[in-house]
Amino acid sequence: MLLVLSEEQREHLGCLPRLGDAAVAELGRLALELLRRGGAPRALEAAARKLGVGVDAVQHGVEALTYLLTESSKLAISEIDFQDSVHVLGFSDELNKLLLQLYLDNRKEIRSILSELAPKLPSYHNLEWRLDVQLASRSLRQQIKPAMTIKLHLNQNGDQTAQVLQTDPSTLLHLIQQLEQALGEMKTNHCRRIVRNMK
Amino acid sequence: KKCVISNLSILDDPDLKDIDPAVLKHCHAAAATCILEAGKHKADKSAISTCLEDCKLDRERIEEFCTEYQKNEDALEIILGSIGRSPLHITDVSWRLEYQIKTNQLHKTYQPSYLVTLNVENSDSGSHPDVSFSCTMEQLQDLVGKLKDAAKSLERATQM
């Protein structure tokens, strides 16, 4: 699958050859920082001064590179497809190699950053448990009532929440049985077949 | 002599309409208190009898009271045991297995993911929104492992 770049993006990338390989490497670094931490106007200004070009040119270059890297990572395109996509820009071989290396070195990290953007439910973090036996209450003395107190730690949007829950022994066994069945599902022929065919 | 554990309003009971309502209410409250106290302390027949003797009830009435009480004492114990605050109680679990293919931000993700929902009940109001969360296979294995440890400790405790 080939990457499709818009006119504007091609134009912005078009100024890369003029800047030289070292500059392109620098812009690549800025692009990755942009993905990791968001915008950094000071860094762009510093780079512009160092390279002797306008801030706009640097910004466009970085944005275009960012797009190139994120789209390639998102689609997980192969080396060959990446090279073919970049080829249409008419860059030198060294520049093409540099861009390819930039892609290969960073695509795993970019993919993991992109995976954070997916809609998410609270996700499991940890489970703590405690066995309690209730011996008496205001309404009833002389009890022996076992209960399992559970603290469920979940992550949502970066915040950790902990919820205290309780269950009785028979429900606990039922939960274990049901969830073991759930785990077993991935090993069934049906699921295996789907996983095989989806690649 | 009616079973006072029933929910019927004693003031509407046709057999009791000839009795003065105030007296009826007092008797009902007294009987209910006696029953609840007996239930709370798991009193046996002799303890109840002694208590009722002190209240100057005759043998026949004490017998009837105790018989009725014993018929219902298990149900009473359950009701009294269920009164009280406790954390949200898990009653059931449901799960869903998905195979993720892509998101709009990332294609070819290809990984299984579980969505687990714990049905929970509040001790006061009864229902409560369920607790749902997603997890990977490894996380679910971790969760089940911990629950199994809990169950094992429960088994060991019951053997002590």
Side-chain angles (χ1 to χ4, degrees), chain A residues 74-75 111 121-124 126-127 129 131 139-142 145 166 168-169 174 178 180 182 198, chain B residues 39-40 42 81 88-90 92 95 104-105 107-108 110 114-115 133-134 139 142 146 148 153-154:
Chain A
K74 163 177 158 182
L75 301 168
R111 277 183 73 80
L121 292 152
S123 71
Y124 172 78
N126 194 13
L127 180 113
W129 57 265
L131 173 57
S139 329
L140 185 61
R141 310 292 149 82
Q142 297 176 44
K145 194 163 144 190
Q166 203 177 61
D168 53 83
H174 171 71
Q178 287 294 308
E180 278 187 321
M198 285 279 200
Chain B
K40 189 200 300 189
K42 291 202 182 168
L88 292 172
H89 192 94
I90 302 174
D92 203 354
W95 55 268
N104 64 332
Q105 306 285 5
H107 294 198
K108 300 190 194 169
Y110 296 141
Y114 286 95
L115 176 61
F133 57 90
S134 68
Q139 288 170 332
D142 180 70
K146 295 198 163 111
K148 280 168 110 164
S153 92
L154 192 57

Side-chain angles (χ1 to χ4, degrees), chain B residues 77-97:
Chain B
E77 191 177 328
I78 291 173
I79 293 172
L80 289 176
S82 68
I83 297 173
R85 300 281 173 79
S86 70
L88 292 172
H89 192 94
I90 302 174
T91 52
D92 203 354
V93 65
S94 47
W95 55 268
R96 190 173 84 194
L97 171 59

Side-chain angles (χ1 to χ4, degrees), chain A residues 16-187:
Chain A
L16 288 181
R18 269 182 289 126
L19 300 170
D21 290 355
V24 174
E26 174 68 13
L27 291 183
R29 202 189 55 81
L30 283 171
L32 288 165
E33 274 310 298
L34 178 67
L35 285 171
R36 284 184 199 123
R37 275 178 254 276
R42 294 259 180 79
L44 290 178
E45 282 166 12
R49 260 176 287 135
K50 201 165 106 186
L51 299 168
V53 291
V55 178
D56 282 346
V58 170
Q59 183 159 1
H60 289 154
V62 170
E63 281 170 2
L65 264 180
T66 308
Y67 179 80
L68 180 66
L69 290 171
T70 49
E71 274 305 292
S72 311
S73 303
K74 163 177 158 182
L75 301 168
I77 61 177
S78 63
E79 265 189 57
I80 301 183
D81 284 345
F82 184 88
Q83 284 171 325
D84 290 343
S85 311
V86 168
H87 189 73
V88 298
L89 300 166
F91 292 161
S92 69
D93 274 345
E94 288 88 44
L95 189 52
N96 286 344
K97 254 203 218 111
L98 196 122
L99 290 173
L100 179 65
Q101 206 53 47
L102 200 59
Y103 168 56
L104 293 175
D105 288 341
N106 295 291
R107 69 171 157 182
K108 199 159 171 207
E109 187 186 349
I110 295 174
R111 277 183 73 80
S112 95
I113 294 172
L114 291 175
S115 72
E116 311 263 310
L117 297 169
K120 278 214 262 217
L121 292 152
S123 71
Y124 172 78
H125 179 76
N126 194 13
L127 180 113
E128 297 176 272
W129 57 265
R130 187 180 79 192
L131 173 57
D132 291 330
V133 179
Q134 182 166 309
L135 302 174
S137 70
R138 181 178 166 181
S139 329
L140 185 61
R141 310 292 149 82
Q142 297 176 44
Q143 299 178 40
I144 300 180
K145 194 163 144 190
M148 195 56 74
T149 304
I150 288 172
K151 196 165 182 185
L152 184 62
H153 295 266
L154 300 175
N155 279 330
Q156 172 138 44
N157 300 330
D159 301 318
Q160 266 207 33
T161 61
Q163 201 153 20
V164 177
L165 304 164
Q166 203 177 61
T167 188
D168 53 83
S170 55
T171 308
L172 176 65
L173 295 175
H174 171 71
L175 294 182
I176 292 172
Q177 186 208 36
Q178 287 294 308
L179 293 175
E180 278 187 321
Q181 272 182 12
L183 281 172
E185 273 304 304
M186 271 312 286
K187 303 199 184 108

Side-chain angles (χ1 to χ4, degrees), chain B residues 84-142:
Chain B
R85 300 281 173 79
S86 70
L88 292 172
H89 192 94
I90 302 174
T91 52
D92 203 354
V93 65
S94 47
W95 55 268
R96 190 173 84 194
L97 171 59
E98 322 181 297
Y99 196 61
Q100 269 187 34
I101 305 173
K102 58 163 71 167
T103 72
N104 64 332
Q105 306 285 5
L106 191 61
H107 294 198
K108 300 190 194 169
T109 42
Y110 296 141
Q111 65 180 16
S113 141
Y114 286 95
L115 176 61
V116 176
T117 298
L118 297 170
N119 305 112
V120 292
E121 252 176 32
N122 205 326
S123 57
D124 305 322
S125 52
S127 74
H128 185 274
D130 296 328
V131 176
S132 288
F133 57 90
S134 68
C135 56
T136 63
M137 191 148 179
E138 291 74 31
Q139 288 170 332
L140 187 58
Q141 278 166 344
D142 180 70

